[in-house]
Amino acid sequence: MDATKVGVSQDETGLVGSTTYLAHATRALERIAHALELPSGASAKMTGMLADLFGPLGARVIPDRAPWPSGISDDASPYELSLAMGEAGPEVRVLWESQGSSGDLQAKMRAGLETQQRLAERFGASSARLDLISDLFLPPDPQGAFVIWHAARLWPAQSDPELKVYLNPQVRGRTSASAVVEEALARLGFEGAWPAVGQAMSRGPDLDEILYFSLDLWGGDAARVKIYFQHHDPTLDALRAVARTSPAADPEHVARFYRAVTADRAAWEGHSVLTNDHRPPPGVSPGSCLSFVASAGPRPVAMTLHVAVRAHVVDDEEACQRSAMALPPHDAAAHRRAVTAMARRPLEAGRGLTSWVSLRSQGERSRTTVYLSAECFSFLPRLQETAPTPTIPPVERLVEQYEAEPLTLHPFFQRMLREPVDLRKMWFVFHNASIGISRPFPRWLGHAIGRVEDDRIRCILAEQLYEELGSGNPDLTHRKLFLRTLSVFDPWKPETITPEMEAPGHELAETLEAIYFDEHPYTAVGAAIVIELLGKHGDLFVGEQLRRQSELDLGSLEWLTQHETLELDHADESVKLASYIERPEDRAAAWRGGRRVFAAGWNYYSRIYDLTFGRSG
């Protein structure tokens, strides 16, 4: 969200003068220290440390308007303060983005690396783990909203300010984020961690989007790796599912916290995200974070829920009231004192000074945090009580998206690509696909044909069903050809097949069945459109894999050879099918069906990953 366009300029209120970022932050820290009754000298220690942390950024004079955007805050301020509450008293933290000589990502990346070097020299920050993954996150042509941020604890002041670095998983493009994170985890010694990440993305990368990846800049088994998500169009069940990835988290506490902060007034909830152009503005949807430490194994030690309170309140006064409903009384009182002291305007004048409120769910170590915007340039206006009205784009856009963002970007496929071909893993894919798709697919397709009334659509689906059934020859049905192909992998199948090994297939069948039998007939049409795209990309990938090995004769894979050609034809037909869906309500149903099928495929390969690479493999 570019608040410099939609917010109230600080210059208009006479609150901005010729001051530096360091002076601006110093004023805020002094007022927070006084309001929280921190020990004498606390503000001096914090600001002295901040000068070393900010480096050249601190000496920059704040202009009237942000010279270039920073994703840290709504108004492009390059830093943010936060208060992490606890029984021992609040921790004061800062997150900042180093600024280069220009606003492009390359300049910011160079400035961030210079900051990393300065932190190593001044505070002994360890770059050892960052060096292991720097080529993944610091490419020569970065993309996305940012490249590298840093964070530090300012109080309680110690010689080590507990430094962190934040990296952008989307730096190689949004669609590559999952594969980048999976490979980074493997390099850092967390090879078994991806299944938990995949579980947190149970609705697929469109709705459960990876945004940030952070590292503690110190050594030892206690150093954390954190993965941050944004959950578009959330439901309480989806947030509970993320919490269940961590044994220490309490899903019901997480749900209660979300409801308390939003007061069930989630501005974007219920407005389905259809395309990337129809997402809520950044920072509106809730986020989560999974924390991993080497000593705890592959499961997250904590799950944190981040709620954008400013998206659900009229002004900052209501944000304090709302936070008081979610935070323990002592924490809520500290939050109000800090916000009131930091504010340079009446709390009722706008919103965004309190941007986020979070709950770290970790058993006895659970705690809350509030995030305070610097508001160097502007603040958000009071919330207008108008719900957004999403438009329904043509279904051709659905085809375009999944052609550009194929399921083969899933970490399972990307890891298969970077390792030698493993035919045992291929058996798992084919065996579960025979359960999850090959067996019930003709029935699903026939059900869709019987319900849709547009003969143009019925003809295309009927032709696909005819080919699926061997063009009238029972011996050449795709099911029989598929089973012959599966038998070729018999030398690599496990001696004993357990129910767990077949669970991905059964879950896939159950999920797809519900989609194809949805009450709206065009949900099944959207499913049929996307499932052909997934089939095409999957077949091409399998063909590439098998052609780079010599143990298996490709001549025996009759089903694959036939499907590689047919799926290309069917994928082309998907565009034609999409063009026939005209009414808004039908388009919406087709989008839902397509999205749900992609998410089902995503979860399927997350389960296959778990079986073959993860805890069960």
Side-chain angles (χ1 to χ4, degrees):
M1 180 185 300
D2 187 352
T4 61
K5 294 181 180 178
V6 301
V8 179
S9 170
Q10 294 284 26
D11 191 43
E12 294 171 9
T13 62
L15 295 175
V16 166
S18 297
T19 187
T20 64
Y21 286 114
L22 180 60
H24 187 275
T26 295
R27 174 190 176 280
L29 288 172
E30 288 174 345
R31 294 194 169 207
I32 288 173
H34 179 74
L36 298 181
E37 300 179 345
L38 298 184
S40 176
S43 62
K45 289 182 179 180
M46 289 192 290
T47 55
M49 185 182 297
L50 191 64
D52 288 332
L53 296 171
F54 274 6
L57 173 66
R60 293 196 174 199
V61 175
I62 302 175
D64 290 341
R65 288 188 175 274
W68 42 74
S70 173
I72 283 178
S73 56
D74 292 309
D75 74 328
S77 297
Y79 81 90
E80 171 190 74
L81 298 175
S82 61
L83 302 177
M85 310 298 187
E87 293 183 1
E91 290 185 5
V92 183
R93 299 171 173 178
V94 64
L95 170 70
W96 77 99
E97 179 178 51
S98 300
Q99 307 259 294
S101 56
S102 63
D104 59 272
L105 291 177
Q106 287 90 346
K108 289 186 175 183
M109 181 168 65
R110 289 192 296 271
L113 291 175
E114 290 170 2
T115 294
Q116 182 68 24
Q117 181 63 34
R118 185 175 66 255
L119 298 180
E121 295 172 354
R122 173 64 180 83
F123 297 104
S126 172
S127 298
R129 295 197 301 169
L130 177 60
D131 291 342
L132 292 174
I133 57 175
S134 60
D135 62 309
L136 294 175
F137 290 97
L138 305 174
D141 55 343
Q143 304 175 43
F146 80 105
V147 181
I148 181 170
W149 296 340
H150 288 88
R153 184 184 66 183
L154 300 175
W155 184 265
Q158 298 176 354
S159 57
D160 178 2
E162 290 194 1
L163 297 162
K164 293 170 59 178
V165 62
Y166 286 81
L167 303 167
N168 183 5
Q170 300 186 17
V171 74
R172 296 178 177 275
R174 192 183 73 87
T175 58
S176 298
S178 296
V180 167
V181 165
E182 185 274 336
E183 185 169 355
L185 288 169
R187 292 190 191 183
L188 294 169
F190 292 89
E191 285 194 350
W194 175 260
V197 179
Q199 182 182 340
M201 302 173 68
S202 62
R203 301 178 305 153
D206 295 315
L207 295 182
D208 299 317
E209 182 180 9
I210 297 180
L211 284 190
Y212 313 114
F213 187 94
S214 77
L215 295 173
D216 289 339
L217 293 176
W218 63 79
D221 288 345
R224 297 164 300 178
V225 171
K226 291 186 175 183
I227 299 159
Y228 296 77
F229 308 86
Q230 187 170 25
H231 302 291
H232 303 288
D233 197 17
T235 64
L236 290 178
D237 283 343
L239 300 179
R240 290 187 185 100
V242 181
R244 282 193 286 269
T245 63
S246 172
D250 181 347
E252 293 308 317
H253 189 190
V254 167
R256 288 195 304 272
F257 185 87
Y258 179 71
R259 296 190 66 178
V261 175
T262 63
D264 292 327
R265 188 174 67 192
W268 282 82
E269 194 164 343
H271 296 276
S272 297
V273 177
L274 296 179
T275 70
N276 296 335
D277 296 336
H278 292 76
R279 292 179 179 277
V284 170
S285 300
S288 68
C289 169
L290 301 183
S291 300
F292 298 88
V293 295
S295 58
R299 300 294 299 278
V301 296
M303 176 269 187
T304 302
L305 174 69
H306 298 271
V307 186
V309 63
R310 71 197 186 287
H312 310 290
V313 297
V314 172
D315 53 37
D316 280 308
E317 171 59 33
E318 188 181 358
C320 287
Q321 297 171 8
R322 193 67 55 73
S323 298
M325 299 172 63
L327 274 58
H330 184 272
D331 295 351
H335 168 227
R336 177 175 281 279
R337 292 199 306 272
V339 169
T340 302
M342 187 176 172
R344 297 174 297 161
R345 57 173 171 81
L347 297 184
E348 297 85 354
R351 59 197 167 90
L353 185 55
T354 301
S355 55
W356 295 85
V357 181
S358 74
L359 167 70
R360 185 182 74 185
S361 187
Q362 193 181 5
E364 295 181 355
R365 298 185 61 189
S366 297
R367 69 179 180 191
T368 57
T369 301
V370 294
Y371 297 81
L372 307 176
S373 296
E375 293 191 348
C376 294
F377 305 105
S378 67
F379 55 88
L380 298 177
R382 289 170 57 87
L383 181 67
Q384 301 299 313
E385 296 286 352
T386 56
T389 304
T391 57
I392 311 299
V395 184
E396 291 94 324
R397 291 284 301 279
L398 182 68
V399 179
E400 292 171 6
Q401 178 177 346
Y402 289 135
E403 285 285 21
E405 304 176 0
L407 187 61
T408 49
L409 290 172
H410 188 284
F412 174 79
F413 293 97
Q414 296 303 303
R415 184 163 177 179
M416 290 279 283
L417 278 175
R418 70 175 189 260
E419 296 184 2
V421 176
D422 187 334
L423 295 177
R424 175 179 172 274
K425 292 179 174 59
M426 298 296 287
W427 177 87
F428 274 96
V429 172
F430 275 86
H431 180 69
N432 278 280
S434 73
I435 299 170
I437 298 180
S438 176
R439 181 189 303 161
F441 184 67
R443 181 169 56 86
W444 298 338
L445 204 52
H447 183 73
I449 294 168
R451 297 179 67 209
V452 70
E453 296 182 354
D454 190 321
D455 284 339
R456 298 171 299 175
I457 294 175
R458 298 174 81 175
C459 285
I460 293 175
L461 296 181
E463 183 180 3
Q464 292 180 2
L465 179 58
Y466 183 63
E467 293 170 350
E468 187 74 23
L469 295 177
S471 300
N473 186 341
D475 293 328
L476 295 179
T477 64
H478 286 195
R479 171 67 177 167
K480 287 188 176 180
L481 294 179
F482 190 91
L483 291 176
R484 290 177 204 165
T485 297
L486 177 60
S487 67
V488 174
F489 290 90
D490 282 350
W492 294 275
K493 74 177 181 181
E495 292 184 6
T496 302
I497 300 176
T498 66
E500 182 184 21
M501 294 177 182
E502 297 182 329
H506 289 294
E507 291 177 9
L508 179 62
E510 181 179 349
T511 302
L512 293 178
E513 176 108 356
I515 298 170
Y516 273 90
F517 282 75
D518 185 85
E519 62 181 3
H520 198 297
Y522 278 84
T523 302
V525 178
I529 287 171
V530 171
I531 208 164
E532 295 299 341
L533 298 177
L534 303 189
K536 179 185 80 170
H537 296 138
D539 290 349
L540 293 176
F541 179 89
V542 169
E544 288 180 18
Q545 285 288 97
L546 295 179
R547 288 183 181 94
R548 67 185 186 96
Q549 57 83 45
S550 58
E551 294 180 90
L552 193 60
D553 178 17
L554 288 181
S556 61
L557 301 178
E558 182 181 4
W559 173 87
L560 178 63
T561 303
Q562 179 176 339
H563 249 239
E564 283 184 304
T565 302
L566 278 179
E567 293 294 0
L568 290 174
D569 294 337
H570 290 179
D572 291 338
E573 290 170 353
S574 290
V575 179
K576 189 180 296 185
L577 275 174
S579 70
Y580 294 152
I581 305 174
E582 298 165 348
R583 295 186 305 177
E585 59 269 31
D586 295 338
R587 293 206 305 266
W591 271 96
R592 287 195 301 272
R595 286 290 204 207
R596 289 168 64 187
V597 163
F598 189 89
W602 183 271
N603 285 329
Y604 171 74
Y605 282 105
S606 291
R607 293 298 308 274
I608 294 293
Y609 185 106
D610 196 4
L611 282 174
T612 56
F613 291 114
R615 297 184 301 273
S616 307

